[in-house]
Amino acid sequence: MDPLNEPLPTQVRRGIILTGLSGSGKTTALRILEDQGFYAIDNLPPALLPQLLDVLGGHHSAVTQGIAAVVDVRGEHLLDDLEVVLGTLRRHLDSLTLVFLDASDSALVRRFETTRRKHPVGSDGTPLEGIQRERQLLQRLRSLADVILDTSDLQHHVLRQRLLEDLGLTPASFLVRLTSFGFKYGLPQDADLVFDVRFLPNPNYEPDLCSLSGVDREVQAYLAPLPEMNRFLELTGGLVRFVLPLYRQTGRMRLHLAVGCTGGRHRSVAVAESLHQALRSEGYDVNLCHRDMDKESVG
């Protein structure tokens, strides 16, 4: 039996195939869909798609959301393979969308000149010659596309909006990651914003509190009445509420906030707990982690 036409005993129900001109933003589009929960596959030969769907039949994200695959088609044989595979997949998936990413010659030339990459179809010619040759090769595939997206003048956040709209997808919720930590153990390497709360009185020096942590009510009750604690939460909360929608407008899907004290056990934990409660009450999706709270009884 021809492997391109064999039955697909798969639980995957949705597929999005991304293809188009080199430099048009296929990988960027793939990352956008990966942020939406799709199982992402980059640069896959078309003939392997049916087999891959079978393999991914037990993968959670592939089954619940779907798969998104970038397929580069630069030769007649690969183009024929993709057309056959598309027909096979449409018979076995509830939804299959072919997205063709395009851009103007001038935009593509500018991108290749900026990255100093050689055009994959350009041989020893100029980038423009490679672009024009590839455009001819893909003309038939472009006519088969369900969605054609011109990325010539699209910034990332606009590309994300357009792609999700064209695919009928609701944007995934913006995730705030909130981490308490101890400076003595180093900063979280991937934090976007870091707040230092070592100016607050240290509960570690209170005999009744030193063995506790910032998640305990006694420690929180010790810090809560302090004017500097309340003023800090007010100012920090205002800053976070101001920047969150701005980060989201850039296409970011998550923001990592880190709050640090000396050992990451008392003050940073209590402040992170307060920020977590405030942001959750306003509808934000917040993931809270106390990185260093249990390392030792020093705050």
Side-chain angles (χ1 to χ4, degrees):
M1 180 181 293
D2 187 342
L4 296 180
N5 290 292
E6 63 182 272
L8 301 177
T10 179
Q11 298 182 51
V12 180
R13 305 316 310 162
R14 180 169 192 177
I16 298 175
I17 309 299
L18 302 167
T19 190
L21 294 167
S22 302
S24 61
K26 297 188 294 293
T27 299
T28 299
L30 182 66
R31 297 296 165 245
I32 292 171
L33 294 176
E34 186 175 29
D35 285 341
Q36 294 296 118
F38 283 82
Y39 187 94
I41 309 126
D42 200 358
N43 200 15
L44 186 75
L48 295 182
L49 272 172
Q51 302 173 44
L52 184 65
L53 286 180
D54 189 13
V55 171
L56 293 176
H59 194 283
H60 179 73
S61 63
V63 172
T64 58
Q65 190 70 15
I67 64 128
V70 167
V71 177
D72 282 329
V73 185
R74 301 191 186 109
E76 191 68 27
H77 174 67
L78 291 178
L79 180 60
D80 291 339
D81 280 356
L82 181 56
E83 290 190 40
V84 174
V85 166
L86 288 174
T88 301
L89 296 180
R90 290 190 193 281
R91 291 194 296 271
H92 294 278
L93 297 180
D94 293 338
S95 172
L96 179 69
T97 306
L98 178 63
V99 180
F100 189 97
L101 284 93
D102 203 345
S104 66
D105 288 354
S106 59
L108 294 173
V109 168
R110 184 170 61 251
R111 293 171 190 175
F112 275 97
E113 289 178 343
T114 299
T115 60
R116 298 186 177 181
R117 290 175 52 217
K118 178 181 177 182
H119 194 282
V121 186
S123 184
D124 294 327
T126 66
L128 180 59
E129 291 173 340
I131 292 165
Q132 292 173 341
R133 171 59 179 156
E134 187 178 36
R135 197 178 291 283
Q136 292 175 350
L137 290 172
L138 299 182
Q139 184 175 2
R140 182 156 53 102
L141 180 60
R142 190 179 191 276
S143 67
L144 299 175
D146 303 294
V147 173
I148 299 174
L149 188 55
D150 188 335
T151 68
S152 301
D153 302 310
L154 300 185
Q155 297 181 355
H156 183 276
H157 68 282
V158 181
L159 171 59
R160 176 178 175 274
Q161 179 182 348
R162 287 277 307 278
L163 178 64
L164 297 183
E165 286 178 353
D166 288 347
L167 292 173
L169 295 172
T170 302
S173 61
F174 189 90
L175 176 65
V176 179
R177 184 179 178 188
L178 183 57
T179 301
S180 70
F181 72 96
F183 278 97
K184 67 190 300 181
Y185 302 112
L187 276 69
Q189 294 299 306
D190 59 348
D192 296 299
L193 297 175
V194 177
F195 301 100
D196 184 348
V197 296
R198 287 176 292 186
F199 63 87
L200 293 171
N202 194 342
N204 184 66
Y205 299 125
E206 299 294 330
D208 295 336
L209 302 178
C210 62
S211 63
L212 304 177
S213 72
V215 299
D216 292 307
R217 292 181 180 178
E218 294 87 345
V219 173
Q220 295 174 6
Y222 171 80
L223 294 170
L226 299 174
E228 56 267 43
M229 173 74 162
N230 285 280
R231 184 60 173 157
F232 176 80
L233 290 174
E234 178 185 352
L235 293 173
T236 303
L239 173 63
V240 171
R241 293 180 188 91
F242 172 72
V243 300
L244 282 179
L246 299 179
Y247 273 102
R248 187 166 190 174
Q249 287 176 17
T250 68
R252 293 277 297 269
M253 291 306 299
R254 58 186 60 85
L255 184 69
H256 188 183
L257 309 177
V259 182
C261 62
T262 304
R265 182 173 176 83
H266 295 104
R267 294 167 289 181
S268 63
V269 172
V271 170
E273 288 281 339
S274 294
L275 288 174
H276 177 250
Q277 183 177 1
L279 292 173
R280 285 288 299 272
S281 68
E282 296 177 18
Y284 287 102
D285 186 5
V286 187
N287 184 299
L288 178 62
C289 171
H290 299 307
R291 192 191 72 178
D292 303 324
M293 183 177 68
D294 296 322
K295 288 186 175 176
E296 59 180 72
S297 298
V298 177

